[in-house]
Amino acid sequence: MRPLPLVGRQGRLTFRLLAVVLVGQAIVLVFFALVARGFAVAEGRDAEATRLLWLGLGLAALSVVGAGLMRSPVGVTVGWVVQALTWASAVLVHSMVAVALIFSALWVFLFVKGRQADALVARHAAEAAAGDAAPGSGAPGH
């Protein structure tokens, strides 16, 4: 297995799958920002509540930006940064470990499967092109 890249354009299926992960992650991050704020307010930590809300919303926004950039060479880099920052946010909100674990696993799994699918599509396209270029490759009986 080839190592997963940190930068660069990805195949058509790969960038779509990774964008879906980041959009889903953004939705969950918005809810966690609201929950983290609510817990902080309930505990009387109003200044920290506002900070947690804005940090969570900023991370969610970065996730959406990463999904939008997924076609570009820096999209994958932004996606990796979102994964790392989601893990880092567990320092502030301990339950973010579960979110980080789930979305990092999805990110890696779909990255691997997307690259496999893109390679398979490319191989089939190359075989079809080679078959069309071969003499006498037309359908029999025509």
Side-chain angles (χ1 to χ4, degrees), residues 21-72:
V21 170
L22 290 177
V23 169
Q25 190 167 358
I27 293 167
V28 172
L29 289 170
V30 167
F31 287 123
F32 260 92
L34 294 171
V35 168
R37 180 190 176 278
F39 282 147
V41 167
E43 295 170 356
R45 299 176 290 138
D46 293 333
E48 188 177 348
T50 303
R51 185 182 57 154
L52 288 172
L53 177 66
W54 285 110
L55 285 172
L57 293 177
L59 185 54
L62 182 62
S63 187
V64 171
V65 168
L69 289 173
M70 201 48 65
R71 289 184 186 201
S72 73

